[in-house]
Amino acid sequence: MGYIYMRKADTTIKYVEPYSIAYEAGIEAGDKLVTINGSDFHDILEYRYLTAEYEVTLEVLKKDGSTEIITVENDYDDLGIEFAEGLIDEAQSCRNKCIFCFIDQLPKGMRETVYFKDDDTRLSFLQGNYVTLTNMSDEEIDRLIKMRVSPINVSVHATEPKLREMMLGNRFAGKCYGIMKKFAENNICMNCQIVLCPEINDGEHLKRTLKDLAALYPNVNSISAVPVGLTRYRDGLYPIKPFTKETSAQTVKLVEEIQQDFLERLGTRLVYLSDEFYLNAGIGIPESECYEGFPQLENGVGLIASMREEFMSALDMIKKKKRNVHVSVATGEISYNFIRFLSDKIQDRCEGVKIDVYAIKNDFFGGGVSVSGLVTGGDIIKQLKGRIVSDTLIIPHSMLRDNDNIFLDDVTVAEVEKALNVKVVPAYNDGYEFIEKILGEELDFGG
């Protein structure tokens, strides 16, 4: 089992940052980095580990076939080299057959990259991806410890070995907690994620998981619990119930009791629920301080509290003057009431501002999918065609993928603009930016 780094990776250099250490040393795009301090390296983690010295000796195979030995003094975090392959090695794909896997619930015909399941600890460290630790050999675990790779984001789901093996469809999945204990013993920081499935790993199983993870605090730095996402494409897959208003409320109650216990014993709540639980239950989102710095904001935990806090602060920065502004906002069904609340606040404060807010039903994925980040361009076109009377449509930036102006269904922003005859303006989950996009002007941070 596991992945052992034995093969020599492709270390071709794609780009050298101007005036960086590598640039000043004469390294160019098209060169290959052969060794660092006399050692081979096989991926981006080893590259970073070996170059984290004050003096670094590089063996470089030049484009003309000659070899140069270059010694540089490293005063910065990076030498300024970007490789043709971002990881230098290929990304490790997932070997699990998780009963809740969202990718298994995607319709056919989407672009190929959408179907790739990564489970790569290097992407966990570099990009914040969550990994299951199921495709790691003992050698790889020791390697990560040696290089002090931290933090690592772990998809835990359950700490009971048999339950985790069943949920992940992998007979090695039950070893996860033992690996985490080894990381903790070596002061590796971990952030954890639990995808909750009703009547499978919630209730008493969730209590057990949180108790086990809390035993590794402070090396377990934070834990998020998110509800399973279910689309209409589940034929032949494991039967999983969706969270209801009642079961969402039960989960909120259970986790808040555990948070209070952790707060008293550990000085931190440690575990945080995604916004969907509160919204599904009809319970108010906690205040910002309850998220203790928002350690899992990118995992959908505390997005509304963070944006609400920013927004209420930004309201005071709006210059009082009459405007002539009419814009539309498209959002997911679950966040409609919140966006409507923010929009009403702006309209109350700003004379001459009109905001139309539209909740987009997710027909593309169906099922219980209602979050904004999974809304597709096709659904926006179908549901808003002929309805928008403003010339600007603001959408959450999370609807777009791959840093391109493309929705999950491969519909482009330009296609939406043409179909609806509007200018589409993406906005990040930021209260200040939301106001600026609505008003079409920058806030005055100088008072």
Side-chain angles (χ1 to χ4, degrees):
M1 185 192 81
Y3 186 97
I4 303 176
Y5 294 84
M6 298 298 293
R7 72 179 182 83
K8 186 70 173 108
D10 181 6
T11 59
T12 302
I13 296 168
K14 181 175 73 173
Y15 175 75
V16 177
E17 183 180 346
Y19 309 109
S20 64
I21 296 172
Y23 177 90
E24 299 292 347
I27 298 173
E28 302 173 296
D31 294 346
K32 283 191 176 184
L33 193 53
V34 182
T35 64
I36 304 171
N37 296 329
S39 298
D40 288 339
F41 64 105
H42 306 86
D43 68 4
I44 194 67
L45 292 188
E46 286 186 342
Y47 164 77
R48 291 195 175 190
Y49 176 70
L50 291 170
T51 56
E53 302 284 346
Y54 177 70
E55 188 173 274
V56 180
T57 299
L58 308 172
E59 180 184 354
V60 180
L61 178 63
K62 302 295 290 182
K63 289 183 290 186
D64 63 7
S66 63
T67 298
E68 291 186 8
I69 304 296
I70 302 171
T71 299
V72 299
E73 291 182 354
N74 183 10
D75 295 328
Y76 304 95
D77 292 335
D78 190 77
L79 301 184
I81 290 173
E82 182 179 335
F83 294 94
E85 295 291 336
L87 291 175
I88 301 178
D89 185 24
E90 294 179 355
Q92 297 179 47
S93 62
C94 183
R95 301 179 181 182
N96 305 314
K97 297 187 181 299
C98 298
I99 62 173
F100 52 83
C101 180
F102 193 80
I103 294 177
D104 288 343
Q105 304 176 69
L106 296 179
K108 296 178 180 179
M110 301 175 71
R111 61 185 180 277
E112 187 176 346
T113 55
V114 172
Y115 300 102
F116 179 74
K117 306 176 187 179
D118 80 75
D119 195 17
D120 198 313
T121 49
R122 297 165 300 183
L123 291 175
S124 175
F125 174 65
L126 296 170
Q127 299 179 10
N129 296 19
Y130 280 79
V131 294
T132 64
L133 306 181
T134 57
N135 65 344
M136 297 179 65
S137 65
D138 291 339
E139 292 88 347
E140 175 65 359
I141 293 167
D142 291 339
R143 172 178 174 267
L144 295 177
I145 292 172
K146 176 185 176 183
M147 292 191 294
R148 313 302 307 159
V149 174
S150 184
I152 294 175
N153 297 330
V154 185
S155 286
V156 178
H157 312 310
T159 53
E160 298 166 74
K162 292 299 181 184
L163 176 57
R164 192 170 194 266
E165 289 170 12
M166 184 279 290
M167 291 187 69
L168 271 63
N170 188 321
R171 64 191 179 93
F172 298 108
K175 297 181 178 181
C176 175
Y177 190 66
I179 296 173
M180 294 182 68
K181 287 175 68 175
K182 187 170 183 178
F183 282 152
E185 289 165 0
N186 287 276
N187 293 317
I188 301 296
C189 177
M190 291 164 282
N191 296 303
C192 302
Q193 178 196 64
I194 301 169
V195 174
L196 284 179
C197 303
E199 301 179 13
I200 296 175
N201 66 329
D202 60 347
E204 292 301 317
H205 296 295
L206 177 59
K207 287 183 182 180
R208 162 73 182 274
T209 297
L210 294 178
K211 178 182 177 182
D212 288 342
L213 294 178
L216 302 182
Y217 177 80
N219 297 104
V220 165
N221 176 64
S222 68
I223 308 164
S224 66
V226 303
V228 61
L230 303 174
T231 78
R232 60 190 171 97
Y233 301 97
R234 288 196 58 82
D235 291 345
L237 298 180
Y238 191 95
I240 301 177
K241 297 179 180 179
F243 273 96
T244 63
K245 181 176 182 177
E246 181 182 5
T247 55
S248 294
Q250 291 170 354
T251 301
V252 171
K253 183 176 184 295
L254 182 150
V255 169
E256 286 185 343
E257 290 173 354
I258 293 173
Q259 285 179 323
Q260 188 58 39
D261 174 59
F262 287 169
L263 194 59
E264 293 172 1
R265 293 193 297 110
L266 305 175
T268 176
R269 292 172 179 81
L270 190 59
V271 57
Y272 312 93
L273 287 170
S274 70
D275 295 356
E276 295 156 86
F277 280 109
Y278 299 99
L279 296 173
N280 285 335
I283 297 173
I285 298 287
E287 295 301 316
S288 295
E289 55 265 25
C290 295
Y291 293 94
E292 302 178 21
F294 300 101
Q296 297 228 15
L297 195 62
E298 295 303 317
N299 211 15
V301 177
L303 285 173
I304 287 180
S306 173
M307 187 171 180
R308 180 179 60 198
E309 181 180 53
E310 294 162 347
F311 177 87
M312 298 309 292
S313 174
L315 271 180
D316 295 332
M317 299 181 185
I318 298 177
K319 295 177 181 178
K320 292 186 177 180
K321 63 180 181 180
K322 187 170 183 178
R323 295 170 171 82
N324 182 21
V325 173
H326 186 189
V327 299
S328 300
V329 180
T331 187
E333 290 181 296
I334 200 167
S335 56
Y336 171 81
N337 288 335
F338 175 63
I339 298 301
R340 181 72 269 170
F341 165 79
L342 300 185
S343 299
D344 288 345
K345 286 287 186 182
I346 296 175
Q347 290 178 146
D348 290 343
R349 184 175 178 85
C350 302
E351 184 182 358
V353 174
K354 179 174 173 54
I355 307 169
D356 301 321
V357 182
Y358 299 94
I360 306 299
K361 186 177 186 299
N362 201 316
D363 293 325
F364 184 85
F365 288 112
V369 177
S370 59
V371 296
S372 297
L374 294 175
V375 168
T376 62
D379 280 342
I380 292 176
I381 292 172
K382 284 187 294 183
Q383 295 174 39
L384 297 188
K385 194 171 182 63
R387 296 178 63 192
I388 295 182
V389 292
S390 69
D391 58 8
T392 300
L393 175 65
I394 297 171
I395 65 169
H397 198 280
S398 59
M399 291 182 182
L400 306 178
R401 291 294 178 266
D402 299 334
N403 296 317
D404 295 322
N405 290 327
I406 302 175
F407 294 86
L408 267 177
D409 57 352
D410 284 337
V411 172
T412 66
V413 166
E415 288 172 329
V416 173
E417 290 180 327
K418 182 177 180 181
L420 301 181
N421 193 30
V422 295
K423 174 66 176 176
V424 173
V425 178
Y428 286 98
N429 190 84
D430 180 290
Y432 298 95
E433 180 165 322
F434 183 72
I435 291 177
E436 291 179 335
K437 298 295 187 184
I438 291 288
L439 300 182
E441 60 191 58
E442 293 185 2
L443 295 173
D444 183 5
F445 287 91

